[in-house]
Amino acid sequence: MKVVAAMSGGVDSAVAAARAAEAGHEVIGIHLALSRNPKSYRSGARGCCTIEDANDARRAADVIGIPFYVWDLSDRFHTDVVEDFMDTYAAGQTPNPCLRCNEKIKFAAVLDRALALGFDAVATGHYATVRTAADGSIELHRAVDGAKDQSYVLGVLDEQQLRHSLFPLGDTTKDKVREEAAERGLLVADKPDSHDICFVADGDNTGWLREKLGDRAPNQGGEIRDEETGEVLGHHTGTYGFTIGQRRGLRLGRPAPDGRPRYVLDIEPVSGTVTVGPRERLAVERITGDRLRWCGTPLPTGSVLDGPDVTVQLRAHGAEHRAVVQVGEDRLDVRLLDHAHGIAPGQAVVVYDGTRVVGSATITVAERVPA
């Protein structure tokens, strides 16, 4: 099988490419150039798109013994990921750019180009597993290493994309990957994992949004109000600096009467009002999501998922919550049997049946438990 191995410059993608080649596939390594202005690349191992990352990926490909190319997808990345990130924050919601990158870039633009060039699959360093069911359908499952499982950010992939995807690390752990990298002579064996958003140079999301949004944000400032009393506790310079569940950096004028910390409960971008209150007011019992994506065989409208193995995950490394899920017309209605806290519109709800990923949706409504 002819395989394109997406190599970010980290240890996971390097070992995934090496495993694909060792399995007998005809492999080429590709690194994605995602910045339209190369001068905006930063130094240091903060993200996955630095100059050092490109060089690390090339060196890894040389050690593995596979051809290496750089694919420029910067325009597509800016439109589908960066613009989406800005628009979502401007609307008072919280985006997940890594999930959107998987949906629009790595398993859409890259896969489309790979298939057009005669390749059969794209391999990445994600921790997840692909299985073929008894009926021949393709399923996505959690990885063996639960601490590193990345099935949540892959929950936007459809069955056709999964048929052309390889995740060589799904059956192993991060510690073993690092050991294997060292044994293979890959210099990235001890390279730290990336955590920051790759296109935010210094990790300051608020500062970056303030600079980039300009007049696109409907309200550049507003009040911070206490939900219980309605009292104005402070002012801010932009709702894009907040997310539901946020505790730090609120800069309130005075402490709560009970001395407990306050959290962001609601963001209203048109009026610019940010509402805060105690942590217990963050509890969510129902969720509605749109932009429905089936990760495998679609379920018909009206279907209900209800059982001891049905759960939802609401953050990339968040807990699983038992739930009852009803399928609507391009929407999901989720009743949480285990309440979640600090859930924001714009995030993804990913549905599981045991270890299998059923599908995902973008959260539009997170209904809090009544006071």
Side-chain angles (χ1 to χ4, degrees):
M1 186 161 61
K2 298 177 66 176
V3 175
V4 170
M7 304 182 69
S8 66
V11 62
D12 293 329
S13 61
V15 172
R19 285 189 169 195
E22 193 174 69
H25 301 306
E26 182 181 340
V27 180
I28 69 164
I30 62 110
H31 183 78
L32 302 181
L34 300 179
S35 175
R36 296 195 298 184
N37 176 13
K39 292 182 179 180
S40 69
Y41 280 120
R42 62 192 179 281
S43 295
R46 292 188 60 88
C48 61
C49 307
T50 67
I51 295 173
E52 291 91 340
D53 290 324
N55 293 334
D56 286 344
R58 186 180 297 277
R59 283 191 289 266
D62 288 342
V63 171
I64 297 168
I66 59 175
F68 180 82
Y69 304 92
V70 175
W71 287 5
D72 185 353
L73 293 175
S74 55
D75 287 339
R76 178 79 177 264
F77 181 79
H78 184 83
T79 299
D80 290 339
V81 180
V82 179
E83 291 279 350
D84 178 82
F85 180 81
M86 292 189 288
D87 291 343
T88 304
Y89 262 115
Q93 301 180 346
T94 302
N96 187 320
C98 295
L99 187 147
R100 201 62 61 216
C101 183
N102 285 333
E103 177 187 358
K104 299 292 187 179
I105 305 300
K106 292 180 181 176
F107 297 94
V110 171
L111 182 56
D112 288 347
R113 180 180 292 189
L115 294 177
L117 291 173
F119 289 88
D120 303 297
V122 169
T124 73
H126 288 96
Y127 287 79
T129 59
V130 174
R131 302 177 189 173
T132 302
D135 62 359
S137 62
I138 303 299
E139 299 177 346
L140 178 68
H141 286 256
R142 289 191 182 278
V144 168
D145 188 345
K148 293 299 295 181
D149 174 63
Q150 293 173 297
S151 60
Y152 174 87
V153 295
L154 298 172
V156 291
L157 305 186
D158 61 29
E159 184 174 9
Q160 182 65 14
Q161 291 169 323
L162 290 174
R163 287 187 181 278
H164 298 283
S165 300
L166 294 179
F167 304 119
L169 306 187
D171 63 349
T172 190
T173 66
K174 183 70 178 209
D175 289 343
K176 290 182 179 179
V177 165
R178 290 197 182 279
E179 292 175 6
E180 184 176 327
E183 292 170 357
R184 292 180 181 276
L186 298 170
L187 298 180
V188 292
D190 295 322
K191 185 174 181 179
D193 290 342
S194 59
H195 297 288
D196 295 322
I197 296 171
C198 65
F199 52 84
V200 179
D202 56 4
D204 179 9
N205 293 356
T206 301
W208 186 90
L209 286 163
R210 183 180 298 114
E211 175 188 346
K212 298 295 184 182
L213 281 176
D215 295 335
R216 291 175 56 182
N219 196 302
Q220 293 298 301
E223 299 174 338
I224 302 176
R225 287 185 172 272
D226 184 276
E227 183 185 54
E228 295 177 324
T229 67
E231 184 180 5
V232 176
L233 303 176
H235 293 80
H236 63 84
T237 58
T239 56
Y240 47 77
F242 300 89
T243 187
I244 303 296
Q246 178 179 336
R247 173 186 173 186
R248 300 186 183 279
L250 301 184
R251 299 181 181 178
L252 303 180
R254 51 193 171 280
D258 59 9
R260 295 189 301 166
R262 295 185 181 92
Y263 297 79
V264 175
L265 304 179
D266 187 57
I267 301 168
E268 214 303 300
V270 176
S271 67
T273 302
V274 175
T275 303
V276 299
R279 185 180 185 277
E280 56 264 27
R281 293 293 295 125
L282 286 170
V284 171
E285 62 181 1
R286 291 183 180 274
I287 289 171
T288 301
D290 64 5
R291 294 173 68 172
L292 184 55
R293 301 275 298 182
W294 293 113
C295 204
T297 304
L299 293 180
T301 299
S303 299
V304 177
L305 291 171
D306 182 9
D309 295 328
V310 175
T311 62
V312 296
Q313 187 171 328
L314 305 168
R315 295 186 181 89
H317 298 289
E320 290 184 79
H321 301 269
R322 293 178 304 126
V324 176
V325 181
Q326 184 165 0
V327 181
E329 188 68 35
D330 195 32
R331 61 179 273 172
L332 290 179
D333 293 297
V334 180
R335 178 166 61 89
L336 297 174
L337 303 180
D338 303 316
H339 293 163
H341 286 77
I343 305 307
Q347 295 174 321
V349 50
V350 178
V351 181
Y352 291 82
D353 185 359
T355 63
R356 181 173 67 89
V357 182
V358 178
S360 70
T362 300
I363 297 172
T364 55
V365 178
E367 184 178 328
R368 288 187 280 143
V369 176

